[in-house]
Amino acid sequence: MVEREKRSDAGPGQALLLTAPEPADLPAVEPNPRGHQPGERCREPGCGDCHWDVQRFKYWLRGRLLAEGADDAEVDRSVGAQTPGLLWRSGSRICAIEVCSAPVHVGFALERTARLRAVGVDEVLWLCPPGFWVAQVPGVAVDDFAADGCDYRVVSGLLEAGPNGLARPREQAWTVREFMQEWVAAEVAFGYRDETAGGWATVSTWEQHTRTQAAVIAQQRQELVNQRTALALARKATRDKAKQVHKLLHRLERAEQVAEELDGARRRLADHSRIDATLRLTVARQRTAVMHWQLITCFALMVIVAFVASAMILR
């Protein structure tokens, strides 16, 4: 039993002894851990522990930015009508960081990035979990927002120079500490490696990527010029062939007309041949008939002469 002794106003030397009641048997309460344990990788929107992890990450980022040489860094500081998760300044550069432990909606992220740039923010960085959205927004993917010992690691969103000189996704993971060091020193920047996907890479990588793209564009331009020349030659050859085909068609039409005329002449010749054959047959028949009449006439004359001669003899 716990006893507490207090002095009252009854008078000097008098004391009032108060006896506190014995506490009831309450269940043992474990200390409430704030945030997730390392390796849990919670991605639930609206999770209180995720919010705690994000806030701790923001203040850790503020410390890293100031340690790397940023002039000023504030968490949840307003700029214009926007309040990014973290705003830092280095000289004339004003950059913002948005930390999101849940999956990112690409449309919302791009709209918010545009609004931040409209109020004067030069660069916007999204620190988000891995996913397809990382390549579509200016962000990098953090593996675990409750990393042990604040050893936050970037697993995607970074680019490196490939064998052909073009930027490609970085294969090796990078710590957020190293990324912040390079970013504050303006040695990394965000850019698009194609029409939809982008990433963060060093300035030298972007220079090599740009040179390679310029060489590819020059080569493609030369190929396009060659193709246009070949197309012009092909068109000229096609026009020449078309002229030849037109001439041949004209000749073919004339030949068809001549053929039709020849067919008409052949038909007329055939008609004449049939008429000639008919006439020849008629003439032959008439000759035969004349010969027969001549024979008959000769026979009749001989009979008449015989009668005349007999008559003269009988006289």
Side-chain angles (χ1 to χ4, degrees), residues 154-170:
V154 177
V155 294
S156 65
L158 300 178
L159 303 176
E160 62 181 359
N164 56 356
L166 296 175
R168 66 175 184 180
R170 186 185 180 93

Side-chain angles (χ1 to χ4, degrees), residues 35-188:
H36 294 96
Q37 295 297 322
E40 292 186 6
R41 295 176 176 83
C42 179
R43 302 288 186 258
E44 295 295 331
C47 176
D49 290 336
C50 289
H51 179 70
W52 170 257
D53 294 335
V54 168
Q55 288 299 113
R56 180 180 60 180
F57 191 21
K58 289 179 182 178
Y59 282 97
W60 181 86
L61 289 171
R62 177 180 179 274
R64 292 311 313 164
L65 291 170
L66 294 175
E68 298 298 340
D71 298 336
D72 186 21
E74 294 294 337
V75 176
D76 298 330
R77 179 180 175 181
S78 300
V79 51
Q82 305 298 320
T83 304
L86 192 147
L87 188 71
W88 65 275
R89 178 179 57 83
S90 178
S92 60
R93 293 174 61 199
I94 300 178
C95 304
I97 301 177
E98 293 287 354
V99 183
C100 181
S101 62
V104 177
H105 189 275
V106 177
F108 170 77
L110 294 177
E111 181 181 359
R112 182 160 180 79
T113 300
R115 289 180 178 178
L116 288 172
R117 289 177 177 172
V119 296
V121 178
D122 299 320
E123 301 176 43
V124 180
L125 170 65
W126 285 81
L127 296 174
C128 52
F132 70 91
W133 50 82
V134 178
Q136 302 181 21
V137 299
V140 293
V142 178
D143 180 42
D144 188 4
F145 286 86
D148 189 12
C150 295
D151 187 20
Y152 302 103
R153 304 188 68 81
V154 177
V155 294
S156 65
L158 300 178
L159 303 176
E160 62 181 359
N164 56 356
L166 296 175
R168 66 175 184 180
R170 186 185 180 93
E171 297 180 355
Q172 297 179 352
W174 216 16
T175 62
V176 178
R177 186 189 307 269
E178 295 173 341
F179 178 80
M180 290 299 159
Q181 181 181 1
E182 298 288 338
W183 191 28
V184 173
E187 295 182 0
V188 294

